[in-house]
Amino acid sequence: MTRDQIFEFFRRLAEDNPAPETELEYGNAYQLLVAVALSAQATDVGVNKATRALFAKVETPQAMLDLGEEGLKAHIKTIGLFNSKAKNVIAMSQILVDQHGGEVPDSRDELVKLPGVGRKTANVVLNCWFGQETFAVDTHIFRVGNRTGMAKGKTPEAVEAKLEKRVPTPFRRDSHHWMILHGRYVCKARQPECWRCTVVDLCSFRKKVLENPRG
């Protein structure tokens, strides 16, 4: 994709959805951090179902420590890998209390030191809570970046680096939301729904599905 095509790609998505947001539910930075950490290899819908009751009780790292690992497991047992995730969330919460005064740091370097927090999770928190221009490359963004030709790369890090270079200024803060939503609902993994895609003419994917197979 050319620079002009990338600009037009995001312009159209922005026109359709001027204020995109994560579909994870949270009330503060700590709850967002927990929700994103829990969402690895899980759906946002599944995480939200588990965290509604949890977040009604737990708003701070100290409250999570008071709940304890077993109490946390009881809330998130419907989420994949819940045992290891519970252990990480408790360890993360302890570090936040001990080293950060119970606050979520606004630095990627500090965030990725926390148990269960990788670069993607850190980027989501920095973007959604702190308003930083980051590119959190999940499976949807990885697919859309490669499939459209906007940001081709063999690893999430490579796709992130391409997006960092190629996404124009007006769209940088919200670009990863538009790409996630586009990948989740239109440019789907098994079969992209090109017949209803607003940016189909800008995309370099060769095997476009231009007719709805279901009629």
Side-chain angles (χ1 to χ4, degrees):
M1 294 177 74
T2 66
R3 286 187 179 276
D4 287 346
Q5 287 174 322
I6 293 172
F7 187 96
E8 181 63 13
F9 179 96
F10 286 114
R11 190 200 66 76
R12 291 183 197 176
L13 295 184
E15 189 173 53
D16 286 345
N17 185 4
E21 296 179 344
T22 177
E23 294 186 323
L24 290 170
E25 297 173 2
Y26 61 94
N28 59 32
Y30 174 67
Q31 289 181 342
L32 173 61
L33 177 62
V34 171
V36 180
L38 294 177
S39 72
Q41 299 180 47
T43 66
D44 288 0
V45 171
V47 172
N48 289 339
K49 284 182 179 178
T51 57
R52 282 177 194 135
L54 173 66
F55 289 165
K57 293 181 179 179
V58 174
E59 295 184 4
T60 65
Q62 186 59 58
M64 187 69 78
L65 295 175
D66 294 341
L67 178 66
E69 189 172 328
E70 293 306 313
L72 174 56
K73 285 181 183 178
H75 280 281
I76 66 170
K77 59 188 177 184
T78 56
I79 299 175
L81 307 175
F82 74 92
N83 282 311
S84 60
K85 288 178 180 179
K87 180 170 288 197
N88 282 336
V89 168
I90 293 298
M92 166 210 302
S93 301
Q94 190 68 61
I95 292 172
L96 289 175
V97 169
D98 293 345
Q99 299 180 20
H100 299 282
E103 299 294 324
V104 175
D106 62 356
S107 155
R108 184 188 290 116
D109 290 344
E110 291 301 320
L111 284 169
V112 297
K113 292 177 184 177
L114 299 171
V117 178
R119 187 178 179 89
K120 186 199 79 172
T121 296
N123 281 345
V124 173
V125 172
L126 293 173
N127 180 277
C128 295
W129 189 260
F130 296 105
Q132 295 185 23
E133 294 179 353
T134 59
F135 302 89
V137 180
D138 68 350
T139 55
H140 297 299
I141 292 182
F142 186 78
R143 180 174 67 258
V144 172
N146 275 285
R147 186 182 274 169
T148 61
M150 180 189 302
K152 289 188 174 184
K154 293 183 178 180
T155 64
E157 291 77 15
V159 171
E160 181 184 344
K162 288 277 184 68
L163 291 172
E164 186 73 50
K165 287 182 179 178
R166 305 197 77 193
V167 176
T169 299
F171 309 113
R172 292 177 69 83
R173 178 174 171 180
D174 292 328
S175 60
H176 93 267
H177 291 301
W178 285 311
M179 292 181 76
I180 287 172
L181 295 171
H182 189 65
R184 185 173 290 162
Y185 297 114
V186 180
C187 197
K188 298 177 181 179
R190 290 187 180 178
Q191 180 172 283
E193 298 181 0
C194 308
W195 65 88
R196 65 183 192 88
C197 175
T198 59
V199 291
V200 65
D201 57 308
L202 305 171
C203 170
S204 63
F205 186 51
R206 292 180 180 177
K207 299 178 181 178
K208 291 174 181 170
V209 186
L210 297 174
E211 292 187 11
N212 186 344
R214 292 183 290 275

